[in-house]
Amino acid sequence: MNISRADVAHVAKLARLALTDGETARLADELSRILAYIEKLNEVNTDDVPPTSHALPGQCAPLRDDVPRPGLTQEQALANAPERADGSFRVPRVIEG
Amino acid sequence: MAPVELWELTAAEIAARVHRREVSAEEVWRAFEERIVRVEPVVHAYITLDSVSGLMQAREIDRRIAAGEEVGPLAGVPVAVKDNICTADLRTTCASKMLADFVPPYDATVVARLKAAGAVIIGKANLDEFAMGSSVENSHFFQTYNPWDLTRVPGGSSGGSAAAVAAGEAAFALGSDTGGSVRQPAAFCGIVGLKPTYGLVSRYGLVAFASSLDQVGPMTRDVRDAALTLETLAGYDPLDSTSAPGAPRRYTAALTGDIHGLRVGVPKEYFGSGSEPGVERAVRGAIDRLAELGATIEECSLPHTEYGLPAYYIIAPAEASANLARYDGVRYGYRAEDARTLAEMYCRTRAEGFGSEVKRRIMIGTYALSAGYYDAYYLKAQKVRTLVRRDFDAAFARFDVLVTPTSPTVAFKVGERAANPLAMYLSDVFAVSANLAGLPALSVPCGLVDGLPVGLQFIGPAFGEEVILRAAHAYEQASGGAQLRPSLEVR
């Protein structure tokens, strides 16, 4: 599998990662090699094999009663915020203009 | 023989002496503090040491003992906690610039359970950033060194935890294991590491990496300590939706020393290629020892073994790319300065806050989940995961436990593999299948090669912790393996 720099730039945009040109070039090379190794999976016939999303299907998330319980206080929730204002998280403007 | 220092004791021995009032929790605490002062300058196991509240915890235990109150099974035992497990009011960094100043508002369930059992948190151990790596070379802060040879890696990602236990800087430690991150560093540092069955130990407060694979596990001086600490760690937690219901078990009761008639399978795919000759010799020698102890040994096959690692390197990065989406510079963690828009702030925060291996895995995972590639990569890997699980189901119809090497090599030199991601990934080639299948697996030391420890891996059926602990304990007793300690020379 050959991953181009344009592919890397597209995926980086999806992942919200600002990459330098150097990182983009290096990742194109590394991802190509890693995905070539992963394509070993195509040697395996998986027709009619169901996918596993939970390692122990018998243990899948049991439901509990929906009962309110105490959570974090507003102060606790904001304690690690990089920037806060008026009891809220403060962020740069969302709409450009 | 020189008198044994307090920092050389196992968790079980420390708790017994504290219970019998032969030593106070504060004396134990001070002995470990002194040991840390001596060896930490060369080992670098800890990101954060908790000297003040740790001492207060120890004194509280002594006060309760003096008052005749009940104290828990780990009373006064100093424990290192991997720094991707949340500790209330004690910073939890994941060895990342992204979380360098993050102070959790709550304890992980495993931390709360340890405190309730009387264990004393001594510090937060170094790791590869967000637990992605096999050598601690991906820590944002600094390298941890292997106490057996300070030019070598301790393994990873729980390398700080393993080094702390091996160097006598903690009586035991917590690690997390997504694809070998408890067992491989345990093997490299000559200690015991247990990855429990998926769902046995709560993950509430473990910073998520790959949610269908992650488990918290104990890293200990011997197998008895692994069983003892698991009794505290295991159990249903309503705060973790993947937590398995079930009554707690007395794992220490399984350590009978008797493995007569135990059916041991030796999967041929884990031998004969890929391992260093010394590692394979040590593991074969250990298997002979199991036979002498009365186990029946038979070769078997796990035909899809070679596909475990490539499946893992789709599934784990895919899940990581989703889990790490939360680091956006809004609610906690690092934020890039002077961004003009929200989108720019996200992209630069993540670019500046994550290290190169984390970015690499986010990129692999995002690619594998992106439009047009989902079926070819993620769905394919999940189907192969089913075949890996079926291999184990078939094997455990015939065998009680399987034995393999934990890692193909002994600890490698710092820098030796850092430039080649694929070579680094191969260090976990024997470890990832147990994560893919959700099975319990344990690494126990099985000798030295050129002065470096080798790990023997026992894999059990789901919720078969008792049988792998029993087998590993019997082996450890017969081999004297628990007596192996690095002769860390400190000026």
Side-chain angles (χ1 to χ4, degrees), chain B residues 6-11 14 32 35-36 39-40 43-46 77-82 122-126 144-148 154 158-175 182 185-194 217-223 225-226 229 443 445 476 482 484-488:
Chain B
L6 287 172
W7 56 262
E8 294 178 281
L9 300 176
T10 64
I14 290 170
F32 277 87
R35 176 67 177 169
I36 287 170
V39 303
E40 182 63 3
V43 176
H44 301 288
Y46 289 105
V77 179
V79 56
V81 176
K82 187 178 184 182
I122 200 160
K124 302 300 294 289
N126 201 10
T144 297
Y145 296 95
N146 191 314
W148 291 84
S158 311
S161 297
V165 174
E169 298 185 75
F172 75 103
L174 289 186
V182 159
F188 280 17
C189 289
I191 64 168
V192 173
L194 170 64
M219 305 176 75
T220 58
R221 297 246 164 95
D222 65 10
V223 176
D225 274 7
T229 54
S443 182
E476 181 185 68
L484 283 179
R485 294 279 181 271
S487 61
L488 189 58

Side-chain angles (χ1 to χ4, degrees), chain B residues 100-187:
Chain B
D101 301 312
F102 176 69
V103 180
Y106 60 86
D107 276 329
T109 296
V110 285
V111 170
R113 282 174 171 265
L114 287 179
K115 286 179 177 174
V120 180
I121 312 289
I122 200 160
K124 302 300 294 289
N126 201 10
L127 63 151
D128 289 288
E129 184 179 3
F130 283 103
M132 297 178 189
S134 308
S135 65
V136 195
E137 287 167 295
N138 299 332
S139 171
H140 169 67
F141 298 107
F142 45 79
Q143 179 69 47
T144 297
Y145 296 95
N146 191 314
W148 291 84
D149 177 344
L150 295 170
T151 68
R152 291 175 189 269
V153 302
S157 65
S158 311
S161 297
V165 174
E169 298 185 75
F172 75 103
L174 289 186
S176 66
D177 192 317
T178 304
S181 279
V182 159
R183 291 161 285 153
Q184 183 259 23

Side-chain angles (χ1 to χ4, degrees), chain B residues 39-364:
Chain B
V39 303
E40 182 63 3
V42 297
V43 176
H44 301 288
Y46 289 105
I47 292 173
T48 306
L49 284 163
D50 189 17
S51 35
V52 176
S53 66
L55 180 59
M56 281 162 53
Q57 284 177 59
R59 284 179 174 163
E60 172 64 14
I61 287 160
D62 288 334
R63 186 198 62 74
R64 287 168 58 190
I65 289 174
E69 294 173 28
E70 281 285 308
V71 289
L74 300 174
V77 179
V79 56
V81 176
K82 187 178 184 182
D83 207 21
N84 61 347
I85 298 173
C86 286
T87 42
D89 304 322
L90 181 62
R91 79 171 178 153
T92 299
T93 69
C94 289
S96 180
K97 180 178 177 182
M98 187 64 88
L99 292 176
D101 301 312
F102 176 69
V103 180
Y106 60 86
D107 276 329
T109 296
V110 285
V111 170
R113 282 174 171 265
L114 287 179
K115 286 179 177 174
V120 180
I121 312 289
I122 200 160
K124 302 300 294 289
N126 201 10
L127 63 151
D128 289 288
E129 184 179 3
F130 283 103
M132 297 178 189
S134 308
S135 65
V136 195
E137 287 167 295
N138 299 332
S139 171
H140 169 67
F141 298 107
F142 45 79
Q143 179 69 47
T144 297
Y145 296 95
N146 191 314
W148 291 84
D149 177 344
L150 295 170
T151 68
R152 291 175 189 269
V153 302
S157 65
S158 311
S161 297
V165 174
E169 298 185 75
F172 75 103
L174 289 186
S176 66
D177 192 317
T178 304
S181 279
V182 159
R183 291 161 285 153
Q184 183 259 23
F188 280 17
C189 289
I191 64 168
V192 173
L194 170 64
K195 183 203 87 75
T197 303
Y198 186 79
L200 183 70
V201 174
S202 169
R203 308 185 300 185
Y204 178 74
L206 168 70
V207 177
F209 164 8
S211 300
S212 78
L213 303 164
D214 297 338
Q215 263 292 287
V216 175
M219 305 176 75
T220 58
R221 297 246 164 95
D222 65 10
V223 176
R224 178 166 297 280
D225 274 7
L228 177 69
T229 54
L230 187 64
E231 289 175 359
T232 289
L233 297 171
Y236 176 69
D237 179 8
L239 299 177
D240 175 357
S241 65
T242 61
S243 178
R249 296 196 204 167
R250 284 206 56 233
Y251 296 102
T252 48
L255 310 181
T256 59
D258 179 8
I259 56 167
H260 272 96
L262 188 77
R263 297 169 302 165
V264 176
V266 180
K268 65 181 185 199
E269 290 81 6
Y270 288 69
F271 293 85
S273 68
S275 284
E276 290 173 348
V279 168
E280 182 145 342
R281 261 199 312 281
V283 170
R284 289 276 182 202
I287 292 168
D288 291 345
R289 186 65 69 107
L290 294 172
E292 289 163 24
L293 292 169
T296 60
I297 312 292
E298 197 182 322
E299 189 180 270
C300 66
S301 177
L302 298 170
H304 295 92
T305 296
E306 64 178 313
Y307 304 107
L309 197 66
Y312 175 85
Y313 272 98
I314 286 297
I315 292 168
E319 295 181 6
S321 72
N323 275 326
L324 272 61
R326 71 190 67 181
Y327 303 103
D328 56 8
V330 174
R331 290 157 300 159
Y332 40 72
Y334 176 79
R335 174 188 287 192
E337 287 181 2
D338 300 327
R340 287 162 297 125
T341 66
L342 188 62
E344 184 193 338
M345 191 276 282
Y346 290 154
C347 293
R348 280 183 37 216
T349 291
R350 294 163 61 77
E352 295 167 22
F354 290 136
S356 60
E357 179 64 24
V358 174
K359 288 184 204 176
R360 190 180 293 129
R361 297 211 196 178
I362 289 173
M363 291 292 290
I364 296 169

Side-chain angles (χ1 to χ4, degrees), chain A residues 1-52:
Chain A
M1 188 72 194
N2 195 33
I3 306 291
S4 70
R5 291 183 196 194
D7 294 332
V8 170
H10 170 67
V11 174
K13 193 178 171 196
L14 294 176
R16 292 280 188 265
L17 279 172
L19 300 180
T20 64
D21 290 348
E23 280 179 313
T24 302
R26 186 169 50 77
L27 279 164
D29 176 53
E30 287 173 351
L31 263 54
S32 296
R33 280 189 285 135
I34 291 166
L35 290 169
Y37 169 67
I38 285 165
E39 277 170 11
K40 190 177 174 58
L41 294 177
N42 294 330
E43 296 169 10
V44 188
N45 182 343
T46 53
D47 297 348
D48 306 321
V49 178
T52 291

